[in-house]
Amino acid sequence: MPAYNTIAFDADRCDGCGACMVACAQAKAASDSPRRARLEVLPDGAGSFALAMCRQCADPECVQSCPAAALSKNTETGIIDWDHDKCVNCLLCTVGCGYAGIALDEAAGHVVKCDQCAGDPACVRACKSGALQYLTTARIYNEVGQLEDLFVPGLAGCQGCNTELLIRHTLRRVGPNTVLAAPPGCVPGMGVVGYNGMTGCKVPTFHPLLTNTPAMLAGVKRFYKRKGRAVTALALAGDGGASDVGFQSLSGAAERGEEMLYLVIDNEGYMNTGMQRSSCTPYGAWTSTTPVGHESHGKTQDAKNLPLLMVGHRCAYVATASTAFMTDLYAKLDKALQACETGFAYLHVYSPCTTGWRFPSRKNIEVARKAVESNFAMLWEYTPKAGLRLTHPVDDPAPVKEYLEAVGKYRHLSVGQIAHIEHHIADNVAVIKQLATAPPAWRGEPVADPLSRVLPGQ
């Protein structure tokens, strides 16, 4: 059975404003009356709100209750369709539905229900608090769900490891015609490269040094090109190997435009060897080499903005992503794969580490989501011709403190340290938004590269 898009409701975000109901009534009944809406926001008696709306059930009781066969499950869209010509207004469907998702509209003279506005729900567009979201992640399951998992079961990752989730999704999408480079870090540490003559990966994989991963992968790619075989050259590297000792090789490959996809799994430190700090470790964070005590209070420097440095290399494609937003991640994987056929593609994925960051494994995706919703991690993409574009703009960000409180390595922070982090994030947001509003480098006639207006020395 295929998966379907859905409208999700977050009660914690709902303020009961009713804007969604008015928007629905306007879209479906040309009325401003919330009574004409096909959804209803209701107080739950405990200070929060509940939502009465069609759930587009997989095994809908309303369909089974309809004696006239006026209701049917559309197997292509997942929507429960209503046929006006067949309906006899017996209202048995309203009795069968346990979610109050279908109800009589007295003004219309028949029952009404949500049809998701043909994939662009008016209620979601009207919701300013983010309580309603239209989730399209079903596309991922439908497109790649049947593809082979190119990593064997039982990799030696930590419980709830976000990196294992990422590498499985990435290789499933990239496909078997791939050569994988996995420098020292969590990826080979799980058994991807292998030990005792065994390997956890079903594509050709090699284990370069931290210092030469892009150079070795470039050589492999050129070898296959000389043989006349098209393969995807993929690196799955940690932030330490990319931003520190490996940066010289990474920078060189990007400058030469080597045809590869370099994916950095940023867990903000050397988590595989004892949770040491890297240049991508944020200010104030506890690590084993930036301890917390009477004299030391975590890392004293701000994190290196590695994705922005790669933009400065004018790569064919640069993007940031998060496993909390899989639709965005998959869209960027598709673009990166296309870009790496003719140039250097760089994808930077923020990956919370349950062990090194000190939070329960069940909260991995929650932490990843809070990072984006507070602008601690921003999601964007860049190409030389189109410039930089925000792919998940957060105009009303959650307080940074909410994110910091969810992560154990920040529990020691003082008021002053939190203020420093908030100021740094505000500066980063300003730079990224300035880049995003710069004119593209190409619109049919030569113009200056947009980066020249905001980055010095260009």
Side-chain angles (χ1 to χ4, degrees), residues 332-345:
K332 289 170 178 175
L333 265 176
D334 289 341
K335 294 177 182 179
L337 284 170
Q338 183 177 5
C340 76
E341 294 179 0
T342 55
F344 190 91

Side-chain angles (χ1 to χ4, degrees), residues 144-163:
V144 305
Q146 301 305 313
L147 299 179
E148 182 183 9
D149 187 349
L150 295 174
F151 288 98
V152 299
L155 295 181
C158 299
Q159 184 177 7
C161 178
N162 206 40
T163 298

Side-chain angles (χ1 to χ4, degrees), residues 1-5 72-81 138 142:
M1 177 181 290
Y4 301 111
N5 297 337
S72 60
K73 178 75 171 179
N74 188 320
T75 57
E76 292 186 3
T77 65
I79 302 297
I80 298 173
D81 294 328
N142 293 334

